[in-house]
Amino acid sequence: MPSTWKIHRSLQQKLSSCTDQEPTGALLLGVAHGNTSILLDYAILLVSVSSNGQEQFHVHPALPETFPSGLLFLGVWASSLPLLEKAIKDKAVMSMVSASSHGTAEGPAAVGVFPAEGSLYFQTINMGASSSLGETVPHEAMDTGAGPLSSASDLGLVAVRCQASLQLSAYTGTDAPNVQKAMDLGVARLEEQLSQQRIVFLVKSSIDEQQVVAGSGSSGALQQLSGSFERPLQASPLLQAPPSSGPAPPTYEYQALPEASTSSPSALTLHSSALDLDVMCYVPGSTLLSELGPRALAPALISQLRGFRRVLREQQKLVQVKVYHFLPPGRVHHVTALYPELAPGAGEEINELKRIPIRKELHKLLGLPDNRPALRVPMALTFSPPPSASSGGPTQLRLRDVHVGLPVPGIGGTVYTIQGSYDYYHYMQDRFNDNGWGCAYRSLQTICSWFQIQQYTTKSPPGHREIQETLVRLGDKAQGFVGSSNWIGAIELSYLLDDYLGVTSKILTINKGSDIPSHARELIAHFQTQGTPVMIGGGVLAYTLLGIQFNELTGECAFLILDPHYTGGEDLKKIHQGTWVAWKRPGDNAAAGGPLFVNSAFYNFLCPQRPNSV
């Protein structure tokens, strides 16, 4: 039994905030490091109530291939003690825990956790034919920093990404069993090949030119290679030690003929699909190269191959399945998703729409918000190296998140800001002269960039002419508006967001600039619930609002203003010095001169609403 239990602080906060108002359960995920077990995350168990009023637990079928190999199911959490006692009696639940058990015969190897009286309680689970809760054990919270297991070196873990190309073909005939049975047979034979062959792996560093062969005769340990969780080591299988001319990964192929078929060969139909496996493994750096394949890489490939079989069964036909790795917000480890191509040849955007039900299930499994994207294909990790400082990487036409690093006014209270990133659009960009009239257009582009960066859309922000043509098409403007230098306001932006992105907006109308501070709580609610940039239209200027600071005791407030009237180049220092993005208090001047809010002017605050979509 581990002598110490630790829980990652982010997981502790999530579990502590749950109540027994909605009975839920979860498998607890973590790593074993010597005599310490560290809980990092959870996988939601679906809980339903049967006809006799008893809770029933359901383990999601995608569970085995969603998390990196090397993370273990170390226990069970439930929102109450009675529910926890039921969960540990469930065979499907405890089979996941026992499969990950790292304990010994001397004692328990799993823990049950439940909230009570504002605290989390840890109790050992006595594993056996009839699992039961044992003694209460102490635990402590721990941090690993902001990144994915940024203290992985302290835990002794190394991330290894292994890719393998397989080919599955299945024949069916008019009198043959359906293609699903042929597929199952084909996958089973591929699994047999991976299990029985003594596979040699070529392992490469993602940071330098080092590479080694990992096989039964290899010497040394994995820690001799340089890698990180952001740039894992790269592995690929070989059938034999690579020749001096260089290795070439093999292609495993199996063609399954229908059983008991009397069809002639010409009557058989061949169904074929590439199975490009791509697994993530977390292994101790001390792992011997001779043990890396049989202990980690091959089992992980087999587990994902079974995941491919599950997806193909759900589709009931051979389709292309792609593997993507993600690092969702608030997670300290990678997450893997298997996505089928549901509309071949229709493009990624159509396939993304058709995969919404799959993503919803994964969001539910991972406890992710059900109204914010986290697992869309454009959000997948590429593991590409960062651009070097000397080259500067690809040219960035616009600055991103220019408010980061600004000092907060000394009024006290709480700061509420946008959730996510945006690009700064302002006058004179793209060699287009909109000085004196295009501020609201630029604010709209900034807002659209936020929706694009957060992956709600693949559309780039529209240009001035497209904006004008859209308003004409919608009947809001006459044909002569196209090509003009006419202003637009918050109402027009609401039409454009609805038409261009399908985004609805709420408009907060304030009759006088002097009344704006009295609406601070409404703006706070927007940033707490929606987190989108807000367009401010009124007087003769338009701004983008990125946040608000409010002191409940004194009523003082400050506004984080992004000003589109800036006409210079992409120089962050100049933008900060000119207060083109800055915290402004009521009565302050705008960066372009004159009062920020005219006391007698009428203002509309356009508050875009997040789509309820994953």
Side-chain angles (χ1 to χ4, degrees), residues 426-429 432-439 441-442 464:
H426 57 79
Y427 278 171
M428 307 297 287
Q429 280 182 329
F432 185 80
N433 186 356
D434 58 347
N435 193 357
W437 62 274
C439 51
Y441 294 77
R442 297 299 188 177
H464 292 60

Side-chain angles (χ1 to χ4, degrees), residues 510-514 597-603:
I510 302 176
N511 292 326
K512 294 188 300 181
S514 58
F597 299 126
V598 178
N599 286 339
S600 59
F602 175 94
Y603 287 90

Side-chain angles (χ1 to χ4, degrees), residues 180-522:
Q180 180 173 315
K181 188 171 183 180
M183 287 190 305
D184 286 349
L185 178 60
V187 170
R189 293 297 171 85
L190 286 172
E191 180 180 328
E192 185 179 348
Q193 290 183 48
L194 288 172
S195 301
Q196 294 183 354
Q197 293 185 13
R198 297 192 61 82
I199 305 173
V200 174
F201 290 87
L202 181 69
V203 187
K204 299 180 181 180
S205 167
S206 54
I207 296 176
D208 52 37
E209 300 299 320
Q210 287 182 292
Q211 64 179 39
V212 296
V213 172
S216 57
S218 301
S219 60
L222 192 63
Q223 58 197 9
Q224 69 190 66
L225 296 176
S226 300
S228 67
F229 272 59
E230 292 79 9
R231 297 179 62 192
L233 300 180
Q234 302 290 322
S236 56
L238 305 166
L239 285 178
Q240 57 185 5
S244 58
S245 58
T251 297
Y252 297 86
E253 182 172 358
Y254 184 78
Q255 295 185 353
L257 288 170
E259 297 178 358
S261 174
T262 58
S263 302
S264 65
S266 60
L268 296 175
T269 301
L270 175 65
H271 308 266
S272 184
S273 178
L275 305 183
D276 294 321
L277 304 186
D278 185 346
V279 300
M280 190 67 66
C281 301
Y282 295 172
V283 295
S286 59
T287 300
L288 298 177
L289 294 174
S290 58
E291 298 176 350
L292 178 63
R295 288 198 175 186
L297 302 184
L301 290 172
I302 290 171
S303 176
Q304 191 173 93
L305 181 60
R306 292 169 181 168
F308 270 73
R309 178 177 61 193
R310 174 186 61 80
V311 174
L312 294 175
R313 280 177 174 174
E314 291 171 354
Q315 300 304 313
Q316 298 185 348
K317 59 183 177 182
L318 276 179
V319 297
Q320 186 176 18
V321 181
K322 293 185 178 180
V323 182
Y324 298 96
H325 302 292
F326 300 90
L327 188 62
R331 289 305 193 270
V332 295
H333 60 81
H334 299 96
V335 167
T336 301
L338 309 185
Y339 287 156
E341 187 176 23
L342 300 178
E348 189 54 46
E349 190 166 349
I350 298 299
N351 275 280
E352 283 284 80
L353 289 173
K354 288 183 173 293
R355 284 195 287 258
I356 287 177
I358 298 175
R359 291 199 300 274
K360 284 184 175 180
E361 286 297 310
L362 288 176
H363 273 243
K364 188 182 300 183
L365 169 65
L366 297 169
L368 295 171
D370 60 3
N371 62 346
R372 301 184 183 186
L375 302 175
R376 293 187 180 184
V377 169
M379 306 176 82
L381 301 173
T382 61
F383 301 109
S384 40
S388 64
S390 58
S391 67
T395 302
Q396 185 170 342
L397 299 179
R398 294 174 184 85
L399 296 175
R400 180 166 293 182
D401 298 336
V402 292
H403 71 286
V404 174
L406 290 174
V408 177
I411 63 173
T414 307
V415 172
Y416 308 88
T417 60
I418 62 167
Q419 302 168 22
S421 296
Y422 62 91
D423 287 334
Y424 179 27
Y425 283 77
H426 57 79
Y427 278 171
M428 307 297 287
Q429 280 182 329
D430 309 310
R431 299 180 180 179
F432 185 80
N433 186 356
D434 58 347
N435 193 357
W437 62 274
C439 51
Y441 294 77
R442 297 299 188 177
S443 182
L444 172 66
Q445 290 173 329
T446 294
I447 291 171
C448 289
S449 77
W450 185 93
F451 281 96
Q452 182 187 29
I453 294 168
Q454 269 56 245
Q455 304 298 333
Y456 284 103
T457 181
T458 58
K459 293 181 178 179
S460 298
H464 292 60
R465 187 174 185 88
E466 185 177 2
I467 291 170
Q468 293 177 339
E469 289 175 341
T470 300
L471 290 173
V472 170
R473 175 173 54 79
L474 295 175
D476 181 68
K477 304 294 182 186
Q479 185 62 44
F481 179 67
V482 177
S484 71
S485 301
N486 292 350
W487 298 352
I488 58 175
I491 301 300
E492 288 92 337
L493 261 66
S494 70
Y495 299 154
L496 290 158
L497 287 172
D498 186 28
D499 181 78
Y500 191 66
L501 299 180
V503 169
T504 60
S505 302
K506 292 182 178 179
I507 296 180
L508 174 62
T509 299
I510 302 176
N511 292 326
K512 294 188 300 181
S514 58
D515 291 340
I516 289 175
S518 65
H519 293 270
R521 288 182 177 84
E522 293 166 85

Side-chain angles (χ1 to χ4, degrees), residues 11-31:
L11 176 60
Q12 181 188 46
Q13 292 170 349
K14 284 186 285 189
L15 296 182
S16 298
S17 64
C18 295
T19 68
D20 57 3
Q21 295 175 357
E22 294 183 7
T24 54
L27 287 167
L28 295 173
L29 196 70
V31 294

